[in-house]
């Protein structure tokens, strides 16, 4: 048998000390594995060979498919041995090899035999191995044994079955869910770990059933949990229940708080800490609730165990963000942690102190921080920098010492992220604290003198161009900027040229000198830098004399481009050099709907640099802009509401189409967003033929076809309808996509000249009453309700018939009306027989509407509802009732 | 956080950062080179700290890592960023003490490699697929030790510590019942 040579582990060879695995080679070990086939097995020797194989795998060695199969088959022979130690190694080996499905069959019967063995260790391990390698079909065969094992009197066997159940729940949930009764029984087990595993599995089985989780928590918090780990789980589940029921009882005592507080007196530190952390993370936690948790965390701060100190200070650090006052009691303990051996603990202590400290302690703190800044990692330094930034915004009077600190650390060694954090902080301080501006700008100037990061240099130069000219003595910055033109790479040089030009444009007295400097740049090597210099010399005008710069030049230099950059890029790519010069006005300003649909990244930090920090415009603004740019729709008036996109095609069809309904006072515009998902096709002249025969009050007035729809670049076509003014007309529309399809050669990307007309059936679209309602919340429903004229109130009762649950009925009515639920009343507490829901909105014609819904269960399933509407117009109040009556 | 506490990996490295035995339970480290890089940088970050009397803790690449050193062996347990630190340290302590029992007090790299089968079984008994199986060092060591002897062999042929471990396991079982 030819064995591939294995390279030796060099590190190991160099070692002087003896290792039993010195010079081990895969090929040799695989040869040795032949002893598994001996008729007379030597358990000790076999165990050693398995250990060697496991050692190789553990060191990162891999077996080829053939090798793995060979080893696997050899290992299965070892089931003949009765030696317990060897069997144990066999189990581990099989798990490591993770055999394929057809190999699993070979060991199944051996493992099933072990699973029913009298030896506990066999049962426990065979279950773990079998569940690890099995698939769904085999699982049904062994299900019976697993259920028995869960309630086995040996805790090791029970735990093995339960833990395997937790893993299997990911792949075969329907089978594991059938074991609830057994798992429930195991939760009552007297063995600590069994209880822990059973609780974890039971919760995962029921996690989508809020009521069941609620029940589980209520019964267990009464005290039958022994294991600390299980108790920690219970605390987590309890906080989940608290969180989900938080909306219902804002006043009064929080349910289960007593349980959490009781856990603070548990004998296991793990449980105490879990409970303390759970309390600090409660939504809207009050300082009264916090106090006992803070007290135990404070005790942990002076523990001799680093892990406890770390856990406590990390939690207190988080609390300090929202409740700085609650943490101030710990400040003395916290200050002694600044010199903690463990740098993570020291950093957390410092940043906590920065958050809770008062103005008088700032200077002392800064001194302590400076001492330890040099020996912590960049990621911690960033944390400190951010803490100092917020501290400075809190105490603007201290800006001098804080700004000095920032500029000092800016000069020290550090990676990009760290330097960027410092620069961002300085920029933010310059923006928000006017007194800090001049010194801050000079710090930045000094920094770019010796900055290795191009990105930071250009950003700072840009920022200087905006802020520098507005200072009392702009001329002092010129030297720093012009130095960049000499000493930097082309990107930074180009940035510096632009900044110089900005000074020239804004500060008339400086213009002649800037002109001289710009002229020198005309002999640049780099095209971009030279072109910029030429451009600025020509636009600034005045031939270097002290004259005022024209407004349009300033606009050109400082104004923002109101064209989406993506569109500009596309247009430039499509532009073919010809007599006709490129016209920037030909670039479409329409924003593609695709990027709009993207969610904004959550929790993004505000960026300090960059020209326009304003976020992307809201969807409604974007739609409004888009529609008003189309002449056919320009006279429709103000856009009242745009719906969320409604899909008109199944996922993964040839053409993906969704529609947005734009509601105007007297018109409705359907915006069809189309995507062509076939690379071999180009669609042209795309329109949607709308049949409005089931929507009597609507009459088609205009349609804007899409000229061309290439593969994978979404486009829009529009159809507009007229409807009676101010009337919430409803109806159904059937849609047909019509277009000319042209074949595209995928290799060249060119389309054929001739196309074929084709049609594609889309799903129906409905305009419903909710489309005429804007979701607008009110801060105080009661006040708003009282101030509305009671004469416009309309009250009536409705039977909603049998419903799945009260919550389902409430949701149905909210969706039907399309209004904004207020004060969290859309959440229905479990088990309640009645519920009141408050809604608010703005109806078409800008009429404010408030709705008070009272639901009650009438019999087992029937839901009855009392609907009270108040609005600024009684006709609208009636209309709401009509919506409900017909819905 | 309502999930079950989970362990991402358990590492046992030597005094130069090389592997003695490691076990990963999370697929955040897709291949061996990523794992080795993680071990190397973790080792260099922690090697200067004094984790010999008490377990130490560090935040590292968005993980919480607890660790403890003895002789030329470095024990690590990694968990998620928001994990209860004290649960992680309980697992670490269980592993650490169990290895101590299994190696009969002589805890160093040489002894660990010579009894690598025990170390691997020990890892197998502490965590299964990221879920904590057992944290009590006596129970862990008992389970591992009882496997290394033939159940049929009379007690007199076992070494003292094996006999102790067996006895301990019997005791632990009877207490749990």
């Amino acid at each position: 048998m030819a064995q591939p040579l294995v390279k030796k582990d060099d590190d190991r060879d160099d070692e002087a000390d003896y290792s039993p695995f010195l010079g081990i080679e895969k090929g040799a070990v695989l040869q040795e594995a032949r002893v598994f086939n001996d008729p007379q097995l030597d358990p000790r020797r076999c165990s050693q060979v398995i250990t060697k194989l496991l050692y190789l795998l553990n060191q990162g060695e891999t077996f080829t498919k053939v090798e793995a199969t060979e080893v696997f088959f050899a290992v299965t022979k070892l089931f003949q041995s009765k030696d317990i130690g060897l069997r144990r190694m066999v189990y581990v080996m099989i798990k490591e090899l993770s055999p394929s499905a057809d190999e699993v069959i070979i060991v199944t019967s051996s493992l099933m035999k072990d699973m029913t063995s009298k030896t506990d260790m066999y049962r426990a391990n065979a279950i773990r191995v079998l569940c690890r390698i099995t698939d769904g079909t085999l699982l049904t065969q062994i299900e019976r044994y697993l259920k028995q094992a869960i309630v086995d009197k040996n805790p090791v066997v029970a735990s093995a079955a339960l833990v395997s159940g937790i893993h299997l729940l990911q792949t075969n949930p329907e089978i594991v869910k059938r074991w609830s009764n057994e798992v429930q029984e195991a939760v009552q087990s007297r063995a600590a770990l069994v209880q822990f595993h059973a609780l974890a599995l039971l919760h995962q089985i029921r996690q989508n059933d809020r009521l069941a989780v609620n029940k589980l928590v209520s019964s267990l918090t009464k005290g039958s949990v022994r294991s600390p780990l299980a108790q920690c789980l219970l605390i987590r589940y309890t906080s989940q229940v608290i969180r989900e029921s938080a909306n219902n009882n804002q006043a009064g005592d929080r349910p289960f708080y007593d349980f959490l507080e009781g856990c603070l007196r548990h004998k296991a530190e793990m449980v105490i800490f879990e409970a303390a952390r759970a309390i600090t993370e409660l939504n809207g936690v009050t300082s009264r609730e916090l106090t006992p948790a803070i007290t135990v965390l404070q005790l942990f701060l002076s523990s001799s165990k680093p892990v406890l100190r770390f856990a406590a200070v990390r939690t207190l650090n988080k609390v300090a963000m929202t409740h700085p006052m609650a943490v101030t009691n710990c400040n003395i303990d916290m200050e002694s942690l600044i010199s903690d051996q463990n740098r993570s603990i020291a950093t957390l202590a410092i940043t906590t102190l920065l958050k809770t400290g008062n103005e008088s302690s700032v200077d002392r703190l800064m001194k302590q921080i400076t001492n330890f800044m040099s020996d912590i990692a960049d990621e911690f330094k960033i944390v400190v920098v951010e803490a100092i930034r917020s501290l400075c915004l809190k105490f603007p009077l201290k800006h001098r010492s804080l700004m000095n600190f920032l500029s000092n650390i800016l000069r020290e060694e550090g990676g990009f992220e760290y330097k960027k954090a410092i620069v961002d902080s300085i920029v933010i301080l310059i923006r928000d604290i006017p007194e800090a501006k001049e010194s801050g700008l000079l710090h930045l100037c000094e920094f770019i003198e010796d900055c290795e990061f191009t990105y930071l240099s250009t950003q700072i130069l840009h920022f200087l161009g905006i802020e520098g000219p507005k200072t009392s003595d702009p001329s002092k910055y010129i030297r720093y900027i012009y130095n960049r033109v000499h000493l930097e790479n082309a990107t930074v040089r180009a940035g510096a040229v632009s900044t110089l030009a900005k000074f020239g444009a804004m500060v008339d007295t400086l213009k002649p000198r800037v002109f001289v400097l710009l002229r020198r740049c005309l002999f640049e090597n780099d095209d971009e830098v030279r072109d910029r210099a030429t451009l600025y010399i020509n636009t600034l005008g005045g031939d270097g004399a002290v004259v005022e710069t024209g407004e349009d030049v300033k606009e050109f230099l400082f104004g923002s481009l109101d064209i989406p950059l993506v569109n500009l890029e596309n247009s430039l790519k499509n532009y073919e050099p010809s007599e006709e010069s490129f016209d920037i006005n030909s670039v479409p300003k329409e924003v593609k709907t695709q990027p709009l649909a993207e969610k904004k990244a959550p929790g993004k930090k505000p960026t300090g640099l960059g020209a326009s920090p304003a976020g992307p415009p809201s969807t409604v603004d974007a739609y409004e802009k888009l529609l008003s740019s189309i002449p056919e729709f320009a006279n429709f008036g103000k856009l009242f509401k745009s719906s969320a996109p409604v899909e008109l095609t199944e996922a993964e069809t040839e053409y993906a189409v969704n529609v947005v309904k734009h509601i105007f006072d007297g018109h409705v515009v359907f915006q069809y967003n189309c995507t062509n998902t076939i690379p071999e096709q180009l669609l042209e002249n795309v329109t949607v033929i709308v049949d409005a025969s089931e929507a009597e009050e609507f009459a088609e007035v205009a349609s804007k076809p899409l000229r061309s729809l290439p593969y994978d670049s979404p486009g829009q076509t529009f159809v507009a309808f007229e409807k009676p003014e101010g009337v919430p007309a409803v109806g159904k529309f059937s849609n047909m996509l019509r277009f000319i399809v042209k074949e595209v050669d995928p290799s060249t990307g060119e389309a054929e000249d001739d196309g074929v007309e084709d049609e594609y059936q889309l799903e129906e679209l409905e305009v419903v009453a909710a489309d005429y309602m804007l979701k607008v919340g009110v801060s105080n429903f009661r006040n708003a309700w009282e101030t509305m004229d009671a004469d416009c109130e309309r009250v009536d009762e409705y039977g909603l018939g049998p419903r799945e649950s009260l919550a389902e009925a409430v949701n149905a009515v909210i969706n039907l009306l399309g209004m904004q639920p207020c004060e969290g009343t859309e959440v229905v507490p479990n088990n309640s027989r009645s519920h009141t829901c408050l809604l608010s909105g703005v109806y078409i014609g800008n009429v404010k509407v408030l709705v008070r819904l009272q639901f009650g269960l009438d019999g087992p399933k029937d839901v009855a509802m009392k609907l009270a509407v108040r609005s600024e117009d009684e006709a609208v109040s009636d209309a709401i009732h009509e919506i409900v009556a017909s819905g | 956080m309502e999930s079950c506490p989970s362990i991402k990996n358990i590492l046992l490295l030597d005094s130069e950062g090389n592997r003695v035995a490691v076990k990963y339970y999370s697929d955040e480290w897709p291949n061996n080179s990523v794992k080795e890089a993680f071990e190397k940088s973790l080792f260099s970050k922690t090697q200067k700290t004094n984790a010999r009397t008490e377990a130490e803790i560090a935040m590292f690449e968005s993980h919480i890592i607890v660790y403890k050193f003895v002789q030329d062996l470095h024990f690590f347990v990694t968990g998620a960023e928001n994990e209860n630190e004290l649960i992680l340290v309980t697992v670490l302590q269980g592993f650490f003490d169990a290895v101590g029992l299994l190696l009969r007090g002589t805890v160093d790299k040489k002894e660990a490699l010579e009894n690598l089968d025990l170390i691997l079984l020990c890892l197998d008994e502490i965590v299964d697929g990221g879920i904590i199986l057992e944290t009590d060092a006596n129970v862990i060591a008992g389970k591992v030790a009882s496997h290394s002897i033939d159940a049929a062999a009379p007690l007199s042929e076992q070494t003292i510590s094996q006999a102790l471990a067996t006895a301990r396991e019997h005791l632990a079982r009877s207490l749990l019942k």
Side-chain angles (χ1 to χ4, degrees), chain A residues 278-317:
Chain A
I279 290 175
T280 62
E281 285 171 1
L282 291 173
N283 279 337
V285 63
T286 63
S287 36
R288 194 172 57 86
E289 289 170 322
L290 265 177
T291 311
I294 302 286
T295 309
V296 300
L297 290 173
Q298 185 173 6
L299 285 176
F300 284 178
L301 285 180
S302 44
S303 160
S304 64
K305 297 180 189 163
V307 175
L308 261 152
R309 295 199 299 272
F310 177 90
V313 74
R314 188 157 76 117
T315 309
L316 289 170
N317 186 293

Side-chain angles (χ1 to χ4, degrees), chain A residues 11-12 15 17-21 44 47 50-51 54-55 57-61 82-86 88-89 91-92 95-96 120-121 125 128 132 153-156 159-160 163-164 166-167 190-193 196-197 200 203-204 207 229 232-233 236-237 239-240 243-244 269-271 273-274 277 281 300 304-312 314-315 318 340-342 344-345 348 377 379-380, chain B residues 1-6 12 14 16 18-23 25 32 36 39-40 45 48-50 54-62 64-67 72 80-92 109-110 112-118 120-136 139 143-144 146-152 169 172-173 175-177:
Chain A
D11 291 346
R12 214 147 277 288
E15 267 168 47
D17 56 354
Y18 161 80
S19 154
F21 301 102
R44 181 168 294 272
S47 281
I50 292 187
T51 308
L54 287 171
Y55 173 80
L57 287 172
N58 217 293
Q59 293 296 322
E61 188 70 73
K82 294 261 181 299
D83 186 278
I84 295 189
L86 177 58
R88 193 70 184 76
M89 295 305 283
Y91 293 137
V92 176
K95 279 194 278 191
E96 284 298 324
D120 294 337
M121 189 279 294
N125 279 293
R128 284 173 60 197
R132 172 72 57 85
K153 64 180 190 309
N154 182 296
V156 182
S159 278
V163 171
S164 299
I166 296 174
H167 295 311
R190 301 181 62 85
L193 269 296
F196 164 59
H197 295 133
H203 178 260
Q204 282 191 22
Q207 61 184 341
L229 277 171
C232 286
L233 275 186
R236 290 182 192 186
Y237 303 157
S239 11
Q240 183 192 2
R243 197 160 47 243
E244 280 164 4
E269 282 166 344
M270 172 197 299
V271 177
F273 174 66
E274 185 78 40
R277 193 170 66 159
E281 285 171 1
F300 284 178
S304 64
K305 297 180 189 163
V307 175
L308 261 152
R309 295 199 299 272
F310 177 90
R314 188 157 76 117
T315 309
K318 278 202 197 115
D340 200 296
Q341 289 279 312
N342 186 317
S344 311
I345 295 175
L348 286 165
E379 60 212 70
F380 287 132
Chain B
M1 187 178 60
E2 50 266 7
S3 58
C4 187
S6 82
L12 178 56
D14 71 7
E16 281 157 34
N18 297 313
R19 279 181 195 166
V20 175
V22 297
K23 187 80 190 151
Y25 306 100
N32 191 52
E36 275 180 345
E39 289 157 26
K40 282 272 178 289
K45 193 184 151 79
K48 288 206 189 73
T49 54
N50 179 15
E54 289 287 354
E56 273 290 346
I57 184 162
M59 284 258 268
F60 180 66
E61 295 176 5
S62 316
I64 292 287
I65 292 153
V66 290
Y67 53 98
D72 50 358
E81 195 174 16
N82 50 2
E83 192 49 80
N84 180 333
E85 295 88 343
L86 303 182
I87 293 182
L88 297 178
V89 88
T90 310
V91 175
L92 175 74
K109 181 187 170 189
K110 178 167 169 283
L113 283 172
E114 278 177 354
N115 294 284
L116 189 67
D117 51 344
L118 299 184
L120 293 171
L121 289 176
C122 188
L123 284 171
D124 189 58
E125 289 293 355
I126 292 174
V127 171
D128 181 292
I131 296 170
I132 300 164
L133 265 185
E134 180 56 77
T135 56
D136 182 329
V139 179
K143 280 201 265 181
V144 173
S146 74
H147 300 154
S148 64
I149 52 154
D150 194 329
E169 190 195 18
R173 290 239 181 101
L175 283 178
L176 289 172
K177 267 170 199 163

Side-chain angles (χ1 to χ4, degrees), chain A residues 492-765:
Chain A
V492 179
R493 290 205 301 274
V497 165
S498 297
T499 305
L500 276 181
K502 283 178 187 164
F503 274 83
M506 295 295 281
V507 189
D508 296 330
T509 49
L510 279 180
K511 204 178 207 179
R513 283 146 77 190
V514 167
F515 236 84
V516 174
L517 297 177
L518 284 178
R519 271 225 185 84
R520 290 193 200 155
C521 301
L522 292 176
F523 305 102
E524 252 287 340
N525 295 326
D526 186 79
D527 292 349
E528 170 77 20
V529 182
R530 201 174 53 243
D531 288 353
R532 280 196 192 192
T534 316
L535 173 71
Y536 294 134
I537 287 174
N538 288 325
T539 46
L540 286 177
D543 206 20
V546 185
V547 292
E548 209 172 308
T549 314
E551 274 309 310
D552 49 337
V553 175
K554 280 187 188 165
E555 174 62 29
F556 170 71
L557 279 173
F558 302 103
S560 63
L561 200 60
D562 59 346
I563 299 169
L565 283 177
V566 193
N567 295 7
L568 181 60
E569 187 187 346
N570 281 338
S571 302
L572 282 169
K573 275 185 188 155
N574 293 338
Y575 173 71
E576 283 168 21
S578 63
E579 289 295 300
E580 205 179 330
S581 60
F582 180 77
D583 181 8
I584 200 156
N585 292 324
S586 70
V587 180
K589 293 187 181 175
E590 297 171 15
V591 184
K592 289 203 172 143
T593 48
Q594 225 64 1
L596 281 177
E598 274 173 29
K599 270 195 180 158
K600 261 172 79 178
K604 232 180 165 182
K605 287 181 195 132
T607 47
L609 294 164
S612 55
S618 71
T619 326
V620 179
D621 286 348
Y623 281 140
E624 198 159 11
K625 243 183 178 170
L626 170 62
L627 290 172
S628 59
S629 70
I630 301 169
E632 287 94 324
F633 310 145
N635 59 353
F636 286 180
K638 187 160 164 46
L639 177 63
F640 176 71
K641 179 185 181 177
S642 298
S643 74
V646 183
E647 296 297 334
L648 296 183
T649 51
E650 305 271 323
E652 290 166 26
T653 46
E654 298 97 307
Y655 313 111
V657 180
N658 65 43
V659 65
V660 178
K661 296 175 271 186
H662 299 290
I663 309 290
F664 291 87
D665 213 21
H667 296 87
V668 175
V669 175
F670 297 142
Q671 171 187 340
Y672 296 90
N673 299 312
C674 313
T675 313
N676 170 10
T677 63
I678 309 177
E680 297 84 21
Q681 284 190 1
L682 169 70
L683 307 189
E684 287 191 345
N685 219 358
V686 184
T687 52
V688 176
I689 309 299
V690 185
D691 175 8
S693 52
E694 279 183 75
E696 290 162 9
E697 291 175 274
F698 294 83
E700 187 171 331
V701 288
S703 155
K704 186 172 182 291
L706 179 63
R707 224 163 356 123
S708 122
L709 183 64
Y711 163 64
D712 207 21
S713 89
Q716 305 109 8
T717 161
F718 300 84
V719 180
F721 287 88
E722 198 169 36
K723 69 169 188 60
E725 196 134 327
V727 175
V730 295
K732 255 190 199 160
F733 302 82
S734 59
N735 307 294
M736 174 84 81
L737 194 67
R738 182 174 291 170
F739 46 81
I740 295 167
V741 55
K742 290 185 174 172
E743 295 288 318
V744 174
D745 186 337
S747 55
T748 62
E750 275 174 35
E752 285 177 10
D753 290 338
D754 296 326
V756 189
E757 191 160 316
D758 201 358
E759 286 180 348
Y760 188 81
Q761 184 67 47
L762 302 175
E763 276 170 36
E764 277 187 355
L765 151 73

Side-chain angles (χ1 to χ4, degrees), chain A residues 29-193:
Chain A
V29 179
L30 289 173
Q31 290 275 5
E32 274 185 78
R34 290 181 175 179
V35 298
F36 299 167
N37 295 319
D38 283 355
Q40 281 298 318
L41 286 171
D42 175 355
R44 181 168 294 272
R45 178 139 168 66
C46 291
S47 281
Q48 282 167 355
V49 177
I50 292 187
T51 308
K52 282 185 188 171
L53 288 166
L54 287 171
Y55 173 80
L56 285 173
L57 287 172
N58 217 293
Q59 293 296 322
E61 188 70 73
T62 49
F63 294 162
T64 65
K65 185 86 190 75
V66 179
E67 286 164 352
T69 309
E70 222 160 79
V71 170
F72 176 75
F73 278 109
V75 166
T76 58
K77 300 269 179 17
L78 299 178
F79 274 101
Q80 288 166 11
S81 167
K82 294 261 181 299
D83 186 278
I84 295 189
L86 177 58
R87 183 69 55 87
R88 193 70 184 76
M89 295 305 283
V90 169
Y91 293 137
V92 176
M93 191 68 211
I94 293 176
K95 279 194 278 191
E96 284 298 324
L97 285 171
S98 50
S100 61
D102 46 338
E103 291 168 349
V104 169
I105 297 167
I106 312 290
V107 284
T108 306
S109 61
S110 306
L111 286 171
M112 279 172 75
K113 209 174 115 208
D114 285 358
M115 231 169 87
T116 52
S117 146
K118 285 206 172 58
T119 314
D120 294 337
M121 189 279 294
Y122 280 176
R123 286 211 305 285
N125 279 293
I127 288 170
R128 284 173 60 197
V129 177
L130 204 50
C131 291
R132 172 72 57 85
I133 61 178
T134 192
D135 60 2
T137 50
L138 186 62
L139 196 56
T140 47
Q141 289 179 43
I142 59 169
E143 192 185 350
R144 191 160 58 91
Y145 302 110
L146 290 174
K147 278 176 156 180
Q148 276 170 15
I150 289 173
V151 290
D152 197 295
K153 64 180 190 309
N154 182 296
V156 182
V157 177
S159 278
L162 287 163
V163 171
S164 299
I166 296 174
H167 295 311
L168 289 169
L169 194 65
Q170 313 302 322
T171 49
N172 295 286
E174 65 296 333
I175 294 179
V176 180
K177 281 184 180 156
R178 293 201 290 256
W179 309 347
S180 291
N181 287 337
E182 286 78 10
V183 179
Q184 182 109 46
E185 200 181 321
V187 171
Q188 304 303 329
S189 164
R190 301 181 62 85
L193 269 296

